[in-house]
Amino acid sequence: MATTVRREKWKGIQTSEIFLIEKSSYLSTIRLLSIDQNPSFAIRIKQVRMSIPTAFQQAVKEGIPSVIPPKKEYDNTVSHAPKRKDILSDSEKKLALKNALRYFPTEQHAELAPEFAAELKDYGRIYMYRYRPDYKMYARPIEDYPGKSEQAKAIMLMIQNNLDYAVAQHPHELITYGGNGAVFQNWAQYRLTMKYLTEMTNEQTLVMYSGHPLGLFPSHSEAPRVVVTNGMMIPNYSKPDDWEKFNAMGVTQYGQMTAGSYMYIGPQGIVHGTTITVLNGGRKVSVNGEGLEGKLFLTSGLGGMSGAQPKAGNIAGCITVCAEVNPAATYKRHEQGWVDEVYDDLDELCTRVKKAKESKEVVSIAFDGNVVDVWEKFDKEDIYIDLGSDQSSLHNPWAGGYYPVGLSYKESTDIMSSNPGLFKEKVQESLRRHAAAINRHTAKGTYFFDYGNAFLLEASRAGADIMDEDGVNFRYSSYVQDIMGPMCFDYGFGPFRWVCTSGKAKDLLKTDEIACQVLEDIMSTSPTEIQQQMADNIKWIKGAQENKLVVGSQARILYADAEGRIRIAEAFNNAIADGAIGPVVLGRDHHDVSGTDSPYRETSNIYDGSQFTADMAVQNFVGDSFRGATWISLHNGGGVGWGEVINGGFGMLLDGTPEADRRLKMMLHWDVNNGIARRSWARNDEAIFAIKRAMERTPELKVTLPNDADASLLDSLI
Ligand SMILES: NC(=O)c1ccc[n+]([C@@H]2O[C@H](COP(=O)([O-])OP(=O)(O)OC[C@H]3O[C@@H](n4cnc5c(N)ncnc54)[C@H](O)[C@@H]3O)[C@@H](O)[C@H]2O)c1
């Protein structure tokens, strides 16, 4: 923030006082502040607030420009989405063009149509690159956004963050993460949405259909300002190729979880989730209550999400060995400081790991090579692995998600396109070897878990020895079945997050302190069942500043239950009212207690058959909407694929008002207890404990509890 101090007569204000002219970095407002020359340095704002619209403000207010802007060169310095499948018939291609052109006046169609047709041919989608704005994309402070509604400004801030080049995976294609997690389908949608947000009042709601702003509709001040749906399909049209087709036509998009809901906070979210998983995984192998010191965690992948593993391992306090076949990914993570050391020789790796074990070092080590080689070598060398997992991209096994052992990275990428049949054979052969090596380690005591990347599913399809004796279930559990579900979600602990809209690091520091204090207060009286989760999150928040987790907006994540989330939010709202911090946006990952129905991930520890239903996520979205959320979202798709999951989330602006206080209490209570109640009905013991406790504390909460049927009674009948 640039400041100058001068003594002068300005705009007719005659004064001998010192004036501080404060201007935001983008000159959106100039405030003249009079500073009393007394020791308390109290600032009296008694003068002028003059607004000069910045280029950014003018551009967002303009929306789609009336004159066609100059064409933009394809910029090779940023990461681009891969060319998408050519899936449309000629008549469908015409429909895609017609759909794209409806954003523009008819007289411009002759100029735009050939360009859009070329985009469809070259990239498989119409992004409307020409309409990419010229201003920098990042989460500007809330006061830099033009508009009539603070809530709408907060939403603009969150959209800008999801498209920040430092945050987004393919920023020019409006993809935030996961290869296809889109904020919008094209730049016309982005521009129109931003314009609507600058115009809206707190008596209107903006309706978003998969990136397309349908319009502003009259509502009321207690209603959400924005309602987002992404990828909602008639169930029979929800297979992967349906996404390719209808996305290419411009009528739907894959919103992932926090991409199309404007709630992504960079890699911090995954670092925290992985830390919690490794810590709790450590508890499963702890014999006498000891911690992770000197224990070894072996896994693979240093890519988008998997790259969080070494950093999380360091925070959790173990020795992490993470194999990665792509040297570019390995060395990038090393340069970024996300992994401490790199080895490309297996013997040297073994020597280093033995030394780290002896001295109980906390260290993360990358192996530049295939993870199967490491599993096999550690078996031969009898290096004991305490925790094992895998985070190669096995949800995408034939197109670069998994690299087979015995082939170099380059050989694999060549065969993948020149001989896909052979490549598939190599992948399956590798998976069989991979699983066999894991089995030898687990026979010695290693705890192995699937990390939501479809490892067990693909290994089983490859014929690997990975099935349980019953021939139905896998021999190993997933991280949600064993760890996240019973230890976190069933008690209501999930990825609560917040963003300081002032953009100031000092506000984030203050919120960290507030959150830590609240958690410590709660922990002093909380039952033993949840003490461990409280302690883990207090440790996390205490180390958060030192671990330098912020990328993009001033955001923080921690796992908290309903009480923790409500009390932290309440304390933030009070601090805002006192002027200690600026407004705060609350939100969460959809990967949470109540947000997501996903039978092979978030709800994989639901065993009453209802894991294939999506009532919980839909009820959550609807329930949040009338309890005070500022915006809400419901998505088909997410980490596990189109048609495999329904997930929802919310955003809420805290502005220090009594209304915000009322809303946060009502909405956060529902947002967590909905999922606990469902998990309790599914007979999960931890959730039954948690919902009974919630009912004791809230007399208005009355939840149907399950009765357990005796297994012998059933056996006598069937
Ligand atoms: N559990 C969770 O919370 C969670 C969260 C995010 C992602 N995931 C899943 O984890 C997987 C990884 O996600 P990502 O974003 O990191 O993907 P990514 O593709 O960016 O990274 C995976 C990395 O694994 C490497 N790799 C592949 N085969 C290998 C092998 N045999 N040996 C060593 N390295 C190998 C690849 O080179 C790549 O860099 C995905 O399937 C994703 O769905 C799970």
Side-chain angles (χ1 to χ4, degrees), residues 169 178 270 273-274 277 299-307 309 322-326 329 367 369-372 390-396 400-405 409 430 434 450-454 479-480 591 601-602 639-640:
Q169 186 183 17
I270 191 72
T274 310
T277 306
T299 184
S300 73
L302 287 170
M305 302 285 182
S306 48
Q309 294 175 108
C322 193
E324 167 58 64
V325 283
N326 178 354
F367 175 66
N370 201 293
V371 72
V372 181
D390 190 84
Q391 229 178 333
S392 55
S393 277
L394 270 161
H395 70 272
N396 176 28
Y402 181 87
Y403 287 82
V405 63
Y409 183 69
S430 180
H434 197 155
D450 183 289
Y451 209 170
N453 66 337
Y479 76 115
V480 172
H591 176 277
R601 219 165 83 172
E602 285 79 353
V640 288

Side-chain angles (χ1 to χ4, degrees), residues 277 280-281 284 447-450 475-488 601 604-605 607 686:
T277 306
N280 286 312
K284 294 197 81 73
Y447 172 67
F448 181 85
F449 59 94
D450 183 289
R475 180 186 289 203
Y476 306 111
S477 295
S478 81
Y479 76 115
V480 172
Q481 284 176 306
D482 255 16
I483 300 173
M484 282 292 180
M487 292 168 137
C488 298
R601 219 165 83 172
S604 59
N605 74 320
Y607 302 104
E686 295 81 1

